[in-house]
Amino acid sequence: MTDESFMREALKLAVQAEALGEVPVGAVVVKDGEIIGRGFNQSITSNDPTTHAEIVALRDASQRIKNYRLVDCELYVTLEPCTMCVGAMLHGRLKRVVFGASDPKTGACGSVINLPAEPKLNHHAAFIGGVMSDECSNMLKAFFLARRKS
């Protein structure tokens, strides 16, 4: 499968978040071409600020493989990760992270800060942004536009 096909899966999860009134962000964790973890934003419905899509997907993947280290795994997420999520990704030892839309308010992969580029960190992963960015960005823009109108 391609980066775009995995991002489409993440977008499907973002739709689930939106249906619950959550900010529409979805994420999947992939190992050997197979999705092993899925997540979408749940902070509002769970009353838990740590339940971002990425964290939920990382937890799901870790439980499935029975290991908190996600070596040789990739994560696809529809929105640029925040500092909390980047930290979890690095602690989990992900190989690669692919995101869609940039986040000019909390993005930690170059928009606000660039945490993955910090040389003092003991683990580094490849972070690639802009995959299906229009689709990801349009979903978020529509969500917030509807919120402002209501």
Side-chain angles (χ1 to χ4, degrees):
M1 292 181 80
T2 64
D3 286 349
E4 290 78 14
S5 59
F6 289 122
M7 190 62 76
R8 279 197 242 347
E9 292 301 314
L11 280 163
K12 289 178 189 175
L13 291 163
V15 170
Q16 291 182 35
E18 186 172 24
L20 295 173
E22 299 277 357
V23 176
V25 178
V28 296
V29 176
V30 175
K31 184 174 176 76
D32 300 326
E34 178 186 340
I35 295 174
I36 62 166
R38 297 174 189 272
F40 55 83
N41 274 2
Q42 299 173 37
S43 295
I44 298 167
T45 53
S46 69
N47 297 309
D48 181 349
T50 69
T51 53
H52 289 190
E54 302 96 308
I55 301 296
V56 175
L58 290 169
R59 288 176 181 158
D60 187 32
S62 294
Q63 291 301 307
R64 285 189 192 203
I65 68 168
K66 306 283 190 251
N67 194 336
Y68 75 105
R69 295 288 197 217
L70 297 167
V71 177
D72 295 325
C73 290
E74 301 171 305
L75 185 139
Y76 294 81
V77 61
T78 58
L79 181 64
E80 179 182 357
C82 70
T83 55
M84 172 184 70
C85 292
V86 170
M89 291 167 191
L90 296 177
H91 281 293
R93 303 297 193 262
L94 289 175
K95 174 175 68 175
R96 187 168 172 257
V97 176
V98 178
F99 63 90
S102 294
D103 185 348
K105 295 188 178 190
T106 63
C109 301
S111 288
V112 176
I113 62 170
N114 195 351
L115 197 53
E118 174 53 54
K120 294 178 184 173
L121 294 172
N122 69 332
H123 176 76
H124 293 90
F127 281 75
I128 296 113
V131 174
M132 296 183 66
S133 62
D134 289 343
E135 293 89 335
C136 296
S137 180
N138 289 341
M139 179 181 284
L140 288 158
K141 286 176 185 174
F143 174 80
F144 286 114
L145 181 63
R147 278 271 171 107
R148 284 191 292 276
K149 287 183 178 179
S150 60

